[in-house]
Amino acid sequence: PGYLAGLKQGWAFSWRSLMAAELIAHSPDLGLGLGAYLNQGSSFNDMPMVMSAIFLILLVGVGIELIVFRPVEKAVLRARGLTGATG
């Protein structure tokens, strides 16, 4: 379970770093990522665009948590006999 906590924390840091890198690095070769989409909305003072970018960033983060980490965590806890700990 400790390794999973580290993986989850690593995912969170890498996701935030990716968004920050997209805010900093601008190139037509990179395309329009969520961070660049957020920055573009901020530059044009387009609040619906900014809110939709924030919502999409949240959706990806929560989606990865639910789709990837939650099943793995349940399997590891079940294998170690700790199923009552997750509820």
Side-chain angles (χ1 to χ4, degrees):
Y3 288 117
L4 283 175
L7 285 173
K8 286 167 68 171
Q9 188 174 17
W11 156 252
F13 282 129
S14 65
W15 182 239
R16 284 185 292 216
S17 298
L18 176 66
M19 292 299 107
E22 286 185 355
L23 289 171
I24 296 169
H26 299 284
S27 171
D29 296 335
L30 295 175
L32 186 65
L34 288 175
Y37 184 70
L38 177 65
N39 192 27
Q40 184 178 5
S42 176
S43 296
F44 294 140
N45 290 328
D46 187 0
M47 189 53 74
M49 186 181 220
V50 170
M51 294 304 291
S52 66
I54 291 171
F55 179 73
L56 286 172
I57 291 169
L58 173 74
L59 191 67
V60 169
V62 171
I64 294 295
E65 165 68 27
L66 293 176
I67 293 170
V68 175
F69 289 113
R70 180 80 43 97
V72 173
E73 185 175 26
K74 282 185 178 182
V76 168
L77 291 177
R78 189 178 316 117
R80 293 185 177 249
L82 300 171
T83 55
T86 60

